[in-house]
Amino acid sequence: MAGPITVTLNGAERTFDDLGETPYVTALVAALGFRGDRVALERNGDIVPRSTWPDTPVQSGDRFEVVHFVGGGKR
């Protein structure tokens, strides 16, 4: 098991205790409780295409910007 990982998420430091043996962006998104099809993500200043999330590692010190799209409402 990998140890705790501390990242900056939307400007705030967050520590995750268990993102798996080799943590990837998919595990981070799941730990945040977001549906992957409603999230846009930037890692260290670069957009991370959803197709590469399973292969994009998460490392302590990474800086993430996450946008979660919310739908709904009536007009």
Side-chain angles (χ1 to χ4, degrees), residues 9-72:
L9 182 65
N10 293 349
E13 192 171 275
R14 295 269 309 261
T15 299
F16 296 88
D17 291 325
D18 185 17
L19 292 180
E21 185 64 35
T22 305
Y24 292 101
V25 169
T26 48
L28 176 65
V29 171
L32 294 170
F34 294 139
R35 287 181 43 184
D37 63 342
R38 297 188 181 192
V39 173
L41 188 131
E42 179 183 281
R43 175 181 175 254
N44 300 327
D46 295 319
I47 299 289
V48 182
R50 191 172 296 116
S51 63
T52 66
W53 289 4
D55 303 315
T56 302
V58 176
Q59 300 172 336
S60 280
D62 281 346
R63 299 183 63 82
F64 289 94
E65 293 295 325
V66 179
V67 177
H68 181 241
F69 300 100
V70 179

